[in-house]
Amino acid sequence: MFILSIIKDTIPVLPANFGTPPHQAITDEINKKYANRVLHDVGLCICVFDLVEVGEGKVRYGDGCLWYKTKLRMVVFRPFASEVILAKVKSSDEDAIRLSIGFFDDMYIPLAYLPQPCAFDPNERAHFWLPDSEATTSHELLESPTSDRMYIDQGEIVRVRVEADEFYDDEPGPPKAAEGVVIKREARRAPYTIICSIAEQGLGPVPWWKSAQPDGVEMDQG
């Protein structure tokens, strides 16, 4: 789930922080710059793990800061493909289930990765699985008895498998115009999203599989 990535950067230390030990001041500045920031094709930065190399501080004309050429290792959140993790259902709609792990909310389970047969109940605003059913359409599934449905409710803890991750780098700036007509800007996408699956045995809401645990063995709640 977490990896260490090597980053090289030149870090400024403000004159107000000259009394702080250099390594601590540099670490603080790096965390201000990178913490909770997505680096394209790297992942979500969490915090500095350690400083590998730090050059001599140099003053640049005009700002009074000491600039340090730095090589560091950053703790980065980027689950690998096929990794199984626990997450909480944040919301559901007709297209997908959105998950959260507390500090990261852009995780999704699209329809293709839900157990089949499965349908979305607009009244409950939740997807449900109907095991051992021969129904093939959403209309048929929605006619099933509610007591037979296995819902994936908001706030429920689910065990998911990571299928893929996607990075987006939307261009900033005003809407572009073509032949005098202003083109409506598309909704901004999250810079980093993770696609997950629960379409296998053992995956999905934790209570689904508690009955399958051997006696005396408890499910890991993370």
Side-chain angles (χ1 to χ4, degrees), residues 51-87:
L51 303 180
V52 179
E53 295 178 5
V54 177
E56 182 179 353
K58 296 183 179 180
V59 178
R60 292 181 180 176
Y61 175 78
D63 61 13
C65 294
L66 277 176
W67 292 79
Y68 294 87
K69 287 187 176 181
T70 308
K71 181 178 180 181
L72 61 119
R73 290 193 294 177
M74 177 71 66
V75 178
V76 174
F77 170 71
R78 189 179 185 183
F80 57 83
S82 297
E83 183 174 0
V84 176
I85 60 179
L86 291 176

Tab-separated table of all heavy atoms in Angstrom, residues 51-87:
chain	number	residue	atom	x	y	z
A	51	LEU	N	16.283	11.829	4.594
A	51	LEU	CA	17.074	12.596	3.636
A	51	LEU	C	18.299	11.770	3.268
A	51	LEU	O	19.075	11.376	4.140
A	51	LEU	CB	17.497	13.937	4.238
A	51	LEU	CG	16.358	14.846	4.726
A	51	LEU	CD1	16.945	16.141	5.299
A	51	LEU	CD2	15.376	15.153	3.624
A	52	VAL	N	18.457	11.496	1.987
A	52	VAL	CA	19.570	10.664	1.516
A	52	VAL	C	20.822	11.518	1.335
A	52	VAL	O	21.906	11.161	1.795
A	52	VAL	CB	19.199	9.960	0.202
A	52	VAL	CG1	20.384	9.114	-0.301
A	52	VAL	CG2	17.963	9.086	0.386
A	53	GLU	N	20.672	12.655	0.659
A	53	GLU	CA	21.796	13.552	0.436
A	53	GLU	C	21.323	14.997	0.577
A	53	GLU	O	20.240	15.352	0.113
A	53	GLU	CB	22.386	13.365	-0.976
A	53	GLU	CG	23.022	12.005	-1.224
A	53	GLU	CD	23.528	11.873	-2.649
A	53	GLU	OE1	23.463	12.891	-3.387
A	53	GLU	OE2	23.949	10.774	-3.038
A	54	VAL	N	22.148	15.820	1.206
A	54	VAL	CA	21.841	17.245	1.329
A	54	VAL	C	23.109	18.020	0.992
A	54	VAL	O	24.153	17.809	1.615
A	54	VAL	CB	21.356	17.615	2.747
A	54	VAL	CG1	21.122	19.115	2.844
A	54	VAL	CG2	20.090	16.851	3.108
A	55	GLY	N	23.020	18.899	-0.008
A	55	GLY	CA	24.178	19.685	-0.398
A	55	GLY	C	24.376	20.872	0.533
A	55	GLY	O	23.638	21.081	1.507
A	56	GLU	N	25.370	21.670	0.221
A	56	GLU	CA	25.655	22.859	1.013
A	56	GLU	C	24.639	23.954	0.684
A	56	GLU	O	24.309	24.186	-0.482
A	56	GLU	CB	27.069	23.351	0.705
A	56	GLU	CG	27.488	24.561	1.530
A	56	GLU	CD	28.892	24.998	1.201
A	56	GLU	OE1	29.578	24.281	0.440
A	56	GLU	OE2	29.310	26.072	1.694
A	57	GLY	N	24.136	24.624	1.710
A	57	GLY	CA	23.172	25.688	1.496
A	57	GLY	C	23.800	26.882	0.798
A	57	GLY	O	24.896	27.318	1.164
A	58	LYS	N	23.111	27.396	-0.215
A	58	LYS	CA	23.609	28.542	-0.960
A	58	LYS	C	22.550	29.639	-1.002
A	58	LYS	O	21.361	29.363	-1.107
A	58	LYS	CB	23.988	28.133	-2.379
A	58	LYS	CG	25.143	27.140	-2.425
A	58	LYS	CD	25.537	26.806	-3.858
A	58	LYS	CE	26.722	25.834	-3.884
A	58	LYS	NZ	27.115	25.513	-5.276
A	59	VAL	N	23.012	30.875	-0.911
A	59	VAL	CA	22.105	32.027	-0.955
A	59	VAL	C	21.968	32.501	-2.396
A	59	VAL	O	22.960	32.686	-3.097
A	59	VAL	CB	22.624	33.169	-0.069
A	59	VAL	CG1	21.692	34.388	-0.171
A	59	VAL	CG2	22.749	32.722	1.375
A	60	ARG	N	20.712	32.678	-2.821
A	60	ARG	CA	20.451	33.229	-4.140
A	60	ARG	C	20.155	34.724	-4.004
A	60	ARG	O	19.579	35.158	-3.010
A	60	ARG	CB	19.263	32.523	-4.806
A	60	ARG	CG	19.530	31.079	-5.177
A	60	ARG	CD	18.313	30.474	-5.853
A	60	ARG	NE	18.522	29.090	-6.228
A	60	ARG	CZ	17.590	28.310	-6.772
A	60	ARG	NH1	16.380	28.810	-6.991
A	60	ARG	NH2	17.852	27.061	-7.076
A	61	TYR	N	20.504	35.448	-5.030
A	61	TYR	CA	20.285	36.896	-4.998
A	61	TYR	C	18.786	37.200	-4.956
A	61	TYR	O	18.003	36.659	-5.729
A	61	TYR	CB	20.908	37.535	-6.238
A	61	TYR	CG	20.639	39.018	-6.349
A	61	TYR	CD1	21.354	39.935	-5.586
A	61	TYR	CD2	19.636	39.494	-7.195
A	61	TYR	CE1	21.103	41.291	-5.674
A	61	TYR	CE2	19.375	40.849	-7.276
A	61	TYR	CZ	20.111	41.744	-6.523
A	61	TYR	OH	19.858	43.094	-6.610
A	62	GLY	N	18.376	38.019	-3.995
A	62	GLY	CA	17.034	38.557	-4.015
A	62	GLY	C	16.055	38.004	-3.009
A	62	GLY	O	15.050	38.646	-2.731
A	63	ASP	N	16.309	36.819	-2.444
A	63	ASP	CA	15.305	36.287	-1.515
A	63	ASP	C	15.844	36.005	-0.115
A	63	ASP	O	15.084	35.864	0.835
A	63	ASP	CB	14.637	35.031	-2.072
A	63	ASP	CG	15.604	33.879	-2.311
A	63	ASP	OD1	16.753	33.938	-1.822
A	63	ASP	OD2	15.207	32.902	-2.980
A	64	GLY	N	17.146	35.877	0.053
A	64	GLY	CA	17.728	35.667	1.374
A	64	GLY	C	17.625	34.258	1.900
A	64	GLY	O	18.093	33.975	3.006
A	65	CYS	N	17.015	33.343	1.136
A	65	CYS	CA	16.873	31.955	1.593
A	65	CYS	C	18.171	31.186	1.365
A	65	CYS	O	18.982	31.530	0.500
A	65	CYS	CB	15.733	31.258	0.841
A	65	CYS	SG	14.090	31.915	1.159
A	66	LEU	N	18.336	30.132	2.158
A	66	LEU	CA	19.384	29.146	1.896
A	66	LEU	C	18.757	28.024	1.076
A	66	LEU	O	17.754	27.434	1.481
A	66	LEU	CB	19.949	28.592	3.207
A	66	LEU	CG	21.024	29.425	3.909
A	66	LEU	CD1	21.385	28.779	5.242
A	66	LEU	CD2	22.273	29.543	3.037
A	67	TRP	N	19.357	27.746	-0.081
A	67	TRP	CA	18.815	26.718	-0.979
A	67	TRP	C	19.704	25.475	-0.912
A	67	TRP	O	20.915	25.553	-1.082
A	67	TRP	CB	18.756	27.243	-2.410
A	67	TRP	CG	17.736	28.341	-2.579
A	67	TRP	CD1	17.865	29.652	-2.233
A	67	TRP	CD2	16.421	28.209	-3.112
A	67	TRP	NE1	16.734	30.352	-2.521
A	67	TRP	CE2	15.818	29.497	-3.072
A	67	TRP	CE3	15.693	27.143	-3.638
A	67	TRP	CZ2	14.522	29.726	-3.529
A	67	TRP	CZ3	14.407	27.373	-4.101
A	67	TRP	CH2	13.829	28.649	-4.033
A	68	TYR	N	19.058	24.333	-0.664
A	68	TYR	CA	19.777	23.074	-0.512
A	68	TYR	C	19.371	22.091	-1.610
A	68	TYR	O	18.182	21.793	-1.778
A	68	TYR	CB	19.466	22.424	0.841
A	68	TYR	CG	19.955	23.191	2.046
A	68	TYR	CD1	19.171	24.189	2.626
A	68	TYR	CD2	21.191	22.899	2.637
A	68	TYR	CE1	19.605	24.884	3.744
A	68	TYR	CE2	21.634	23.589	3.753
A	68	TYR	CZ	20.837	24.571	4.306
A	68	TYR	OH	21.261	25.255	5.422
A	69	LYS	N	20.352	21.595	-2.351
A	69	LYS	CA	20.077	20.496	-3.276
A	69	LYS	C	19.908	19.224	-2.446
A	69	LYS	O	20.817	18.847	-1.698
A	69	LYS	CB	21.208	20.336	-4.285
A	69	LYS	CG	21.249	21.439	-5.336
A	69	LYS	CD	22.283	21.143	-6.412
A	69	LYS	CE	22.231	22.218	-7.501
A	69	LYS	NZ	23.223	21.949	-8.581
A	70	THR	N	18.747	18.590	-2.589
A	70	THR	CA	18.382	17.502	-1.680
A	70	THR	C	17.922	16.270	-2.451
A	70	THR	O	17.209	16.377	-3.449
A	70	THR	CB	17.238	17.963	-0.740
A	70	THR	OG1	17.613	19.191	-0.117
A	70	THR	CG2	16.956	16.921	0.320
A	71	LYS	N	18.350	15.129	-1.975
A	71	LYS	CA	17.844	13.843	-2.453
A	71	LYS	C	17.206	13.152	-1.259
A	71	LYS	O	17.834	13.011	-0.209
A	71	LYS	CB	18.989	12.994	-3.020
A	71	LYS	CG	18.558	11.640	-3.566
A	71	LYS	CD	19.762	10.887	-4.143
A	71	LYS	CE	19.369	9.529	-4.684
A	71	LYS	NZ	20.547	8.789	-5.218
A	72	LEU	N	15.949	12.754	-1.406
A	72	LEU	CA	15.210	12.226	-0.256
A	72	LEU	C	14.381	11.018	-0.646
A	72	LEU	O	14.144	10.752	-1.832
A	72	LEU	CB	14.289	13.307	0.308
A	72	LEU	CG	13.232	13.827	-0.678
A	72	LEU	CD1	11.827	13.553	-0.154
A	72	LEU	CD2	13.422	15.320	-0.927
A	73	ARG	N	13.928	10.313	0.388
A	73	ARG	CA	12.979	9.223	0.185
A	73	ARG	C	11.627	9.638	0.771
A	73	ARG	O	11.550	10.040	1.934
A	73	ARG	CB	13.462	7.924	0.832
A	73	ARG	CG	14.658	7.304	0.129
A	73	ARG	CD	14.936	5.884	0.585
A	73	ARG	NE	15.359	5.845	1.980
A	73	ARG	CZ	15.603	4.705	2.644
A	73	ARG	NH1	15.449	3.543	2.053
A	73	ARG	NH2	15.999	4.754	3.905
A	74	MET	N	10.595	9.554	-0.050
A	74	MET	CA	9.253	9.979	0.323
A	74	MET	C	8.343	8.762	0.503
A	74	MET	O	8.353	7.846	-0.322
A	74	MET	CB	8.685	10.899	-0.759
A	74	MET	CG	7.264	11.380	-0.544
A	74	MET	SD	7.114	12.572	0.793
A	74	MET	CE	8.039	13.958	0.110
A	75	VAL	N	7.560	8.768	1.589
A	75	VAL	CA	6.534	7.744	1.767
A	75	VAL	C	5.367	8.097	0.852
A	75	VAL	O	4.815	9.201	0.928
A	75	VAL	CB	6.058	7.679	3.230
A	75	VAL	CG1	4.939	6.637	3.378
A	75	VAL	CG2	7.216	7.351	4.161
A	76	VAL	N	5.007	7.175	-0.031
A	76	VAL	CA	3.978	7.424	-1.042
A	76	VAL	C	2.906	6.346	-0.957
A	76	VAL	O	3.207	5.157	-0.818
A	76	VAL	CB	4.602	7.429	-2.454
A	76	VAL	CG1	3.531	7.546	-3.525
A	76	VAL	CG2	5.610	8.565	-2.583
A	77	PHE	N	1.652	6.783	-1.038
A	77	PHE	CA	0.538	5.845	-1.089
A	77	PHE	C	0.277	5.464	-2.532
A	77	PHE	O	-0.110	6.303	-3.353
A	77	PHE	CB	-0.717	6.475	-0.481
A	77	PHE	CG	-1.976	5.665	-0.696
A	77	PHE	CD1	-2.173	4.476	-0.019
A	77	PHE	CD2	-2.960	6.106	-1.569
A	77	PHE	CE1	-3.321	3.728	-0.212
A	77	PHE	CE2	-4.112	5.376	-1.775
A	77	PHE	CZ	-4.296	4.181	-1.092
A	78	ARG	N	0.510	4.195	-2.862
A	78	ARG	CA	0.184	3.668	-4.187
A	78	ARG	C	0.071	2.150	-4.101
A	78	ARG	O	1.059	1.432	-4.250
A	78	ARG	CB	1.224	4.066	-5.228
A	78	ARG	CG	0.757	3.704	-6.650
A	78	ARG	CD	1.743	4.104	-7.717
A	78	ARG	NE	1.197	3.847	-9.033
A	78	ARG	CZ	1.850	4.045	-10.175
A	78	ARG	NH1	3.092	4.533	-10.142
A	78	ARG	NH2	1.280	3.781	-11.336
A	79	PRO	N	-1.142	1.644	-3.843
A	79	PRO	CA	-1.316	0.188	-3.765
A	79	PRO	C	-0.944	-0.467	-5.088
A	79	PRO	O	-1.166	0.094	-6.167
A	79	PRO	CB	-2.814	0.028	-3.471
A	79	PRO	CG	-3.262	1.354	-2.955
A	79	PRO	CD	-2.390	2.372	-3.623
A	80	PHE	N	-0.381	-1.663	-5.003
A	80	PHE	CA	-0.016	-2.372	-6.227
A	80	PHE	C	-1.196	-3.204	-6.727
A	80	PHE	O	-2.119	-3.528	-5.974
A	80	PHE	CB	1.214	-3.254	-5.995
A	80	PHE	CG	1.066	-4.267	-4.891
A	80	PHE	CD1	0.448	-5.493	-5.112
A	80	PHE	CD2	1.551	-4.001	-3.617
A	80	PHE	CE1	0.323	-6.425	-4.103
A	80	PHE	CE2	1.421	-4.928	-2.588
A	80	PHE	CZ	0.802	-6.147	-2.838
A	81	ALA	N	-1.182	-3.530	-8.004
A	81	ALA	CA	-2.251	-4.318	-8.601
A	81	ALA	C	-2.357	-5.672	-7.899
A	81	ALA	O	-1.346	-6.308	-7.578
A	81	ALA	CB	-1.990	-4.520	-10.097
A	82	SER	N	-3.591	-6.089	-7.629
A	82	SER	CA	-3.934	-7.354	-6.954
A	82	SER	C	-3.782	-7.271	-5.440
A	82	SER	O	-4.052	-8.258	-4.754
A	82	SER	CB	-3.113	-8.540	-7.493
A	82	SER	OG	-3.400	-8.752	-8.864
A	83	GLU	N	-3.365	-6.129	-4.896
A	83	GLU	CA	-3.301	-5.987	-3.445
A	83	GLU	C	-4.718	-5.954	-2.867
A	83	GLU	O	-5.614	-5.321	-3.424
A	83	GLU	CB	-2.549	-4.711	-3.066
A	83	GLU	CG	-2.389	-4.535	-1.554
A	83	GLU	CD	-1.526	-3.344	-1.178
A	83	GLU	OE1	-1.055	-2.645	-2.100
A	83	GLU	OE2	-1.328	-3.111	0.033
A	84	VAL	N	-4.921	-6.639	-1.756
A	84	VAL	CA	-6.223	-6.680	-1.084
A	84	VAL	C	-6.168	-5.769	0.136
A	84	VAL	O	-5.272	-5.893	0.971
A	84	VAL	CB	-6.592	-8.115	-0.668
A	84	VAL	CG1	-7.901	-8.135	0.127
A	84	VAL	CG2	-6.718	-9.007	-1.902
A	85	ILE	N	-7.111	-4.833	0.215
A	85	ILE	CA	-7.128	-3.866	1.304
A	85	ILE	C	-8.554	-3.710	1.830
A	85	ILE	O	-9.519	-4.113	1.170
A	85	ILE	CB	-6.577	-2.491	0.866
A	85	ILE	CG1	-7.416	-1.909	-0.276
A	85	ILE	CG2	-5.123	-2.602	0.460
A	85	ILE	CD1	-6.942	-0.549	-0.742
A	86	LEU	N	-8.677	-3.126	3.016
A	86	LEU	CA	-9.975	-2.815	3.602
A	86	LEU	C	-10.293	-1.339	3.378
A	86	LEU	O	-9.424	-0.481	3.523
A	86	LEU	CB	-9.982	-3.112	5.101
A	86	LEU	CG	-9.922	-4.585	5.519
A	86	LEU	CD1	-9.832	-4.690	7.037
A	86	LEU	CD2	-11.129	-5.347	5.013
A	87	ALA	N	-11.542	-1.060	3.021
A	87	ALA	CA	-11.985	0.319	2.797
A	87	ALA	C	-13.428	0.441	3.266
A	87	ALA	O	-14.096	-0.555	3.548
A	87	ALA	CB	-11.856	0.689	1.323
